[in-house]
Every structure is written in structure tokens, then in C-alpha cells.
Amino acid sequence: GSSWVTLSHDGRFVAFESRASNLDGIDTNDLRDAFVRDRLAGTTRRLSIDPPTPLAWPSGVFGTSISADGSTVAFGAGNYLAPQNEVYVGTEWPPLENTRQWGFIVPQSLSADGNLVLFDADGELYSELYVRDRAAGTTVQIDDGVPVGDAQAQSISGDGRLVAFRAGTQDTTDGSAQMALYVHDRADGSVSLASRTPDGTAPDGSSTWARFTDAGDLVFESAGTDLVTDDANGSDDIFIL
């Protein structure tokens, strides 16, 4: 099967990972690979080809993301069991400089021009979030100040200023973490609660799957019933902020 599907903003290019061996006619590694589909040209191209060493990717690819303009695809590849992997962009080798040290890494989102790569990485205790500036050659952690526990990257805005992520806010009665959405402003360093009720507090259900629109609005899914005053359907809903 195929997964981790993302589209360019005009819908022409589709990036995804798949273990299928018949998508490009030359895939014989029996691993999950990164592909990009050009819906206008009717072509599918495999990106995860010719790794630095024959055994560099024993676990294949995990996680793909495409930029809004369709020019850039990021994917994680390496050894899931170690865990140790790296972030690659398109068919560029070697991997993004300075990402090797963080162990298991999954790219989640790119800025519109493909220069900034938002990715998750294993920390000492919890997952951590980083933004890689490909042009400047810098990598910056952006989840300092998160109230509790794991932080999981969701989306970076087209201009690269805002980063949406989710993080645990409290322990529920069954011991699981309830997740809320936050937005980090890379210009001033502030972190604000995005999935908030009318009185400014975290909702009574977890929130996830956030994406920035071209206009900069944040669209997300939530199980919270108190984000708006008339939510009584008992199901997860889609909200826009």
C-alpha cells in the first residue's frame, strides 16, 4: 500500500511513500520508497534511488512531504530498528547536513519554496521539533517552552514564519496524553495555544492534523466539544482558525 500522501497546492504533484514494485518499472529493492506523481504529465518518479551505501536504508522510507510549489520533496530514510535515519531532499546526496545526530527523523512539512524543512526527531526523553534552513545551512529547535511532554510537528506556513505542532497538555483518567495544538512564531519566538476554547483554554478533547492554508489560516481536526458553542455531534470535526 501507499501512505504519507501530500500534494502541491495546485494539486498537480503528489508525493507519497509506497512499497509497490510496479510504479516506476525499475524498483526491485522490496522496500518502501518515496515517489512523486505528476498528474498533468501522467508520470510517476521514484526519488529514493542510489543511497550512499547499498545498506544505507534497510528499513526504506518513512515520511514524505512536498512543497507548495511542487519543486521539492523531503523524505526520511534509514534504519527504523536502530533507530537511526536521515532527512533527504529530492535525490540530493548526502542528507541534510546536521540531521544525522538526532536518530529517528520524520519530515512533516516544507515552506512554499522548499527551503525550510520542518521535522520531528527523537530527543533524550521526548520527540523534539526542528526547522532546517537549507540555504543558510542551519537547524533550529523550535519546541522550547512546550508545556508538557512530546511535541509532534504538523505544518509550517508558506512563508516559513509560523510552525504548528501538537503537544501533551495533561494526563487523562486512562493515563493517555491529551494533545493540544500550538503555533510557534519564528519571528518573535512566541508559542501560543491554537486549539483553544472561547475562554482561551485547551479543549476537552485532543486536536491534531493541522495544516496552514495559502492564506495563512490554520485548519485542524479535533475531538474537542467546547471549541465552538454548538458542537453536539459526538464526532471529531474540522475547524479553521
Side-chain angles (χ1 to χ4, degrees):
S2 302
S3 57
W4 285 93
V5 180
T6 59
L7 290 85
S8 60
H9 280 199
D10 63 1
R12 174 176 175 175
F13 297 101
V14 184
F16 61 97
E17 65 172 55
S18 180
R19 194 162 188 163
S21 61
N22 59 348
L23 292 174
D24 69 348
I26 56 174
D27 185 1
T28 59
N29 62 13
D30 195 31
L31 296 172
R32 301 191 69 82
D33 288 295
F35 297 88
V36 62
R37 174 72 176 178
D38 185 331
R39 298 175 60 237
L40 182 61
T43 57
T44 300
R45 184 163 62 102
R46 182 163 57 110
L47 302 179
S48 51
I49 55 177
D50 299 329
T53 66
L55 298 179
W57 301 340
S59 300
V61 166
F62 23 85
T64 53
S65 184
I66 193 169
S67 60
D69 63 6
S71 66
T72 307
V73 176
F75 60 91
N79 190 345
Y80 180 81
L81 298 177
Q84 178 70 48
N85 73 298
E86 297 135 355
V87 175
Y88 297 82
V89 174
T91 54
E92 297 176 5
W93 319 118
L96 294 184
E97 183 182 0
N98 291 336
T99 61
R100 189 182 300 266
Q101 61 184 295
W102 286 296
F104 189 64
I105 302 170
V106 178
Q108 297 287 357
S109 182
L110 292 91
S111 58
D113 62 1
N115 179 52
L116 301 176
V117 183
L118 171 66
F119 63 92
D120 295 322
D122 286 345
E124 292 185 4
L125 296 176
Y126 301 107
S127 294
E128 299 169 347
L129 312 182
Y130 296 88
V131 171
R132 175 69 178 177
D133 187 323
R134 297 170 60 212
T138 58
T139 305
V140 178
Q141 184 177 354
I142 53 91
D143 59 324
D144 287 339
V146 175
V148 178
D150 273 350
Q152 300 171 357
Q154 297 290 303
S155 182
I156 190 168
S157 60
D159 61 5
R161 174 172 176 170
L162 303 177
V163 172
F165 62 94
R166 69 174 189 165
T169 57
Q170 64 187 42
D171 289 332
T172 57
T173 55
D174 64 0
S176 62
Q178 182 166 298
M179 309 297 284
L181 288 170
Y182 296 85
V183 171
H184 169 84
D185 189 324
R186 298 179 63 242
D188 61 21
S190 64
V191 177
S192 59
L193 178 65
S195 56
R196 59 183 182 271
T197 64
D199 64 5
T201 59
D204 59 7
S206 288
S207 303
T208 186
W209 297 112
R211 289 293 182 269
F212 285 106
T213 67
D214 288 343
D217 298 319
L218 186 66
V219 179
F220 63 95
E221 175 186 342
S222 180
T225 64
D226 53 353
L227 286 165
V228 295
T229 58
D230 57 350
D231 185 359
N233 61 9
S235 301
D236 288 11
D237 292 295
I238 304 299
F239 299 88
I240 186 167
L241 178 65

